[in-house]
Amino acid sequence: MAQALQLKPLDIYVDPAAKPVDSRLAALLAYWRAKRYGTASLPTRGDIKPGELISHLPSLLIADVRPGEKTPDFSLRLTGTALDDLFGGNHMGRRFDEIMPGKQGWLARAALALCVEHRRPMRFFGRVRFPSDPATPVMVEALALPLARPDGEVHMILGEIVQLRAAALSSFPELIRSAAE
């Protein structure tokens, strides 16, 4: 299994193996994989049916991929109500770096760019300071899944962010180590 990489100086990690601990994320990953047509293809936005994801809707997001100077830029097309609470309101249409300014937003954008470039799922976890309460870090696990146009170009990210359950903390040794430091 690939080692999770820390996005220093933040307490956020990228797991290129994309093996979620949280059962909600594992279910979303299985759903995304079931929508693929062969091993080389990616699902399209049209393949994703909100009615099939009812239990996920509060914690889902869809981000548009936009060309950037060096790496793609991302703007939020849709966010669930639980994410609106974390982000401090509905931010549809806004870019990531507008919602999460500074290094945290820049690193989130760079990590999502890897999902686009490599055309594969990416898993993230860590302590994140959200705009709703920047003084209090929230422990989360997230999944980013690329969606492609029929021509194969990745143009959206389907994502889900969930707060870590206390029972799952032992599955995140990186977070336990960083809390002790």
Side-chain angles (χ1 to χ4, degrees):
M1 180 168 159
Q3 177 102 12
L5 307 169
Q6 185 175 7
L7 299 177
K8 290 183 178 187
L10 304 175
D11 202 8
I12 301 171
Y13 297 81
V14 178
D15 173 19
K19 293 190 180 194
V21 171
D22 190 280
S23 61
R24 297 166 288 183
L25 297 179
L28 181 64
L29 181 58
Y31 174 83
W32 179 86
R33 285 183 172 147
K35 296 295 182 174
R36 294 173 65 190
Y37 302 102
T39 57
S41 71
L42 297 174
T44 67
R45 168 60 187 92
D47 294 326
I48 306 303
K49 309 292 185 216
E52 297 172 346
L53 295 168
I54 297 292
S55 65
H56 298 268
L57 291 178
S59 53
L60 278 185
L61 67 84
I62 295 180
D64 288 318
V65 179
R66 299 177 178 207
E69 285 184 34
K70 294 181 182 177
T71 62
D73 201 354
F74 302 90
S75 62
L76 291 173
R77 174 179 285 258
L78 173 136
T79 56
T81 54
L83 297 185
D84 290 346
D85 291 344
L86 282 175
F87 288 118
N90 183 321
H91 294 288
M92 283 191 337
R94 294 186 64 200
R95 292 189 337 259
F96 269 53
D97 55 358
E98 294 174 319
I99 302 162
M100 300 167 69
K103 195 142 206 139
Q104 185 167 306
W106 182 87
L107 286 170
R109 184 175 148 189
L112 288 177
L114 292 173
C115 179
V116 172
E117 179 184 345
H118 295 287
R119 304 172 47 80
R120 60 186 308 257
M122 299 291 278
R123 174 181 163 251
F124 307 92
F125 60 91
R127 286 182 185 79
V128 179
R129 295 179 187 278
F130 286 97
S132 59
D133 183 5
T136 307
V138 179
M139 295 202 321
V140 298
E141 183 179 20
L143 196 59
L145 305 164
L147 300 176
R149 291 188 173 103
D151 67 6
E153 179 185 1
V154 175
H155 71 114
M156 290 183 180
I157 299 290
L158 171 65
E160 186 168 18
I161 302 172
V162 298
Q163 290 188 354
L164 293 181
R165 295 176 171 150
L169 290 180
S170 63
S171 298
F172 297 90
E174 297 89 348
L175 295 179
I176 294 168
R177 274 194 306 274
S178 67
E181 294 174 352

